[in-house]
Amino acid sequence: MNIALIGYGKMGRTIEKVAVSRGHHIQSISDPTFNDNQENISINGADVAIEFTKPASAIMNYSACFKAGLPVVSGTTGWLHNWSQLKEMVELHNAGFFYASNFSLGVNILHKVNEVLAKIMNHQPDYKVHIEEIHHTEKEDAPSGTAISLSHGIENMHNSYHSWILDNQGSINEIPIYAKRENKVPGTHTIHWKSDIDEIMIKHEAYSRAGFATGAVLAAEFMIGRRGIFSMDELLDMKQR
Ligand SMILES: NC(=O)c1ccc[n+]([C@@H]2O[C@H](COP(=O)([O-])OP(=O)(O)OC[C@H]3O[C@@H](n4cnc5c(N)ncnc54)[C@H](OP(=O)(O)O)[C@@H]3O)[C@@H](O)[C@H]2O)c1
């Protein structure tokens, strides 16, 4: 597979390593820093584009790829207020687009297991839930977006819980999320279901950015020959078959 890499920052460089290790070829690299401030992206000869840049440039990059008939895999965050514009562009060009705000396969599998467990626990009132997330000390937001999504997954599947609360026991309808900050931890999330006699825990611990990069490369392999908008749900469902 020939890949047009758009954005050659921390993620772009990690994706390059993962893609090459899976036998793919980096056809082109577009990044204003890497290409001496050249603004146009280069995509000639590529089968798919992988885009990890900045919110302000994402939509323009997608547009250029769609016009050239190239499917796009993107993980750039912070542009989702333009989702309706993106949908129109995909329809207009009959394009292929894959988006995930978290490409880690492990985290996406954790979300699914979390929902199944919450559904089971709906009938087990002795168990109370709380979520713990640990991240590096430079992380500015708390709780993490992933912890909030995990809470939403439980709220959707369990009748007793309706919202989350940060670093606090809260009321019986609130899911406590405890956010810890420790040196150099890329991201750890644990869901605890605790009774007076035992405890069930499901945990995901990221060791590095490689998990995000691997998910993006798998998504690029998945997108060859596909048109329409896809997410990790489709990628994981396909892998389960
Ligand atoms: N979905 C996921 O799983 C996931 C995981 C990690 C990160 N992310 C997101 O991915 C994005 C990139 O993260 P990162 O850590 O790689 O950031 P980064 O290290 O800052 O890299 C972004 C790169 O894109 C370049 N760029 C800016 N505008 C561009 C354009 N128009 N065309 C091509 N390249 C352009 C930047 O160049 P300049 O520095 O010159 O502007 C920079 O080199 C962020 O939005 C981040 O939140 C998503």
Side-chain angles (χ1 to χ4, degrees), residues 133-155:
E133 60 102 331
I134 312 173
H135 281 89
H136 51 87
T137 46
E138 295 90 52
K139 185 169 176 63
E140 291 178 4
D141 55 321
S144 68
T146 300
I148 293 172
S149 298
L150 288 166
S151 178
H152 289 159
I154 296 167
E155 291 159 38

Side-chain angles (χ1 to χ4, degrees), residues 6-12 30-33 39 41 52-55 57 61 75-77 100-104 209 212:
I6 307 176
Y8 199 51
K10 293 182 282 298
M11 278 305 299
S30 304
D31 185 298
T33 310
E39 283 191 0
I41 58 169
F52 279 72
T53 61
K54 303 261 162 108
S57 46
N61 289 336
T76 303
T77 51
S101 58
N102 192 321
F103 268 97
S104 159
R209 283 172 188 273
F212 305 126

Side-chain angles (χ1 to χ4, degrees), residues 2-240:
N2 292 326
I3 299 171
L5 209 47
I6 307 176
Y8 199 51
K10 293 182 282 298
M11 278 305 299
R13 286 164 201 265
T14 313
I15 287 165
E16 178 184 36
K17 286 195 192 109
V18 171
V20 169
S21 77
R22 291 181 65 85
H24 302 305
H25 173 64
I26 304 299
Q27 182 76 17
S28 58
I29 294 173
S30 304
D31 185 298
T33 310
F34 186 70
N35 307 125
D36 293 331
N37 290 325
Q38 186 187 314
E39 283 191 0
N40 292 337
I41 58 169
S42 66
I43 48 184
N44 286 345
D47 302 308
V48 60
I50 303 184
E51 204 269 6
F52 279 72
T53 61
K54 303 261 162 108
S57 46
I59 282 275
M60 275 184 324
N61 289 336
Y62 306 155
S63 172
C65 292
F66 296 160
K67 281 179 188 158
L70 200 63
V72 178
V73 171
S74 178
T76 303
T77 51
W79 62 271
L80 287 184
H81 50 281
N82 290 323
W83 186 256
S84 53
Q85 188 187 345
L86 175 274
K87 271 181 76 178
E88 280 170 24
M89 280 167 27
V90 169
E91 279 162 25
L92 179 70
H93 297 287
N94 191 20
F97 184 70
F98 190 114
Y99 184 74
S101 58
N102 192 321
F103 268 97
S104 159
L105 292 194
V107 162
N108 284 278
I109 292 166
L110 181 76
H111 281 301
K112 293 206 178 292
V113 175
N114 176 50
E115 288 177 13
V116 171
L117 185 56
K119 195 172 176 187
I120 292 169
M121 287 307 188
N122 211 12
H123 308 290
Q124 304 297 338
D126 290 343
Y127 287 88
K128 307 291 176 220
V129 74
H130 71 270
I131 297 170
E132 181 190 80
E133 60 102 331
I134 312 173
H135 281 89
H136 51 87
T137 46
E138 295 90 52
K139 185 169 176 63
E140 291 178 4
D141 55 321
S144 68
T146 300
I148 293 172
S149 298
L150 288 166
S151 178
H152 289 159
I154 296 167
E155 291 159 38
N156 288 340
M157 292 293 173
H158 199 290
N159 292 331
S160 301
Y161 295 107
H162 306 308
S163 57
W164 56 267
I165 184 163
L166 180 62
D167 290 336
N168 198 307
Q169 188 79 27
S171 74
I172 52 164
N173 301 124
E174 290 173 313
I175 300 171
I177 302 179
Y178 298 101
K180 298 184 178 171
R181 296 294 172 256
E182 294 175 8
N183 205 13
K184 293 192 172 161
V185 176
T188 303
H189 294 86
T190 312
I191 302 108
H192 300 252
W193 286 92
K194 205 166 184 261
S195 77
D196 288 341
I197 51 170
D198 61 4
E199 181 170 3
I200 298 166
M201 286 173 268
I202 47 173
K203 175 178 174 182
H204 177 270
E205 182 176 353
Y207 298 147
S208 69
R209 283 172 188 273
F212 305 126
T214 302
V217 174
L218 288 175
E221 292 168 3
F222 173 84
M223 283 308 291
I224 299 300
R226 284 194 157 84
R227 291 170 195 274
I229 298 177
F230 298 89
S231 69
M232 292 302 279
D233 275 348
E234 284 86 16
L235 186 63
L236 291 176
D237 283 346
M238 196 197 74
K239 285 176 76 69
Q240 278 165 14

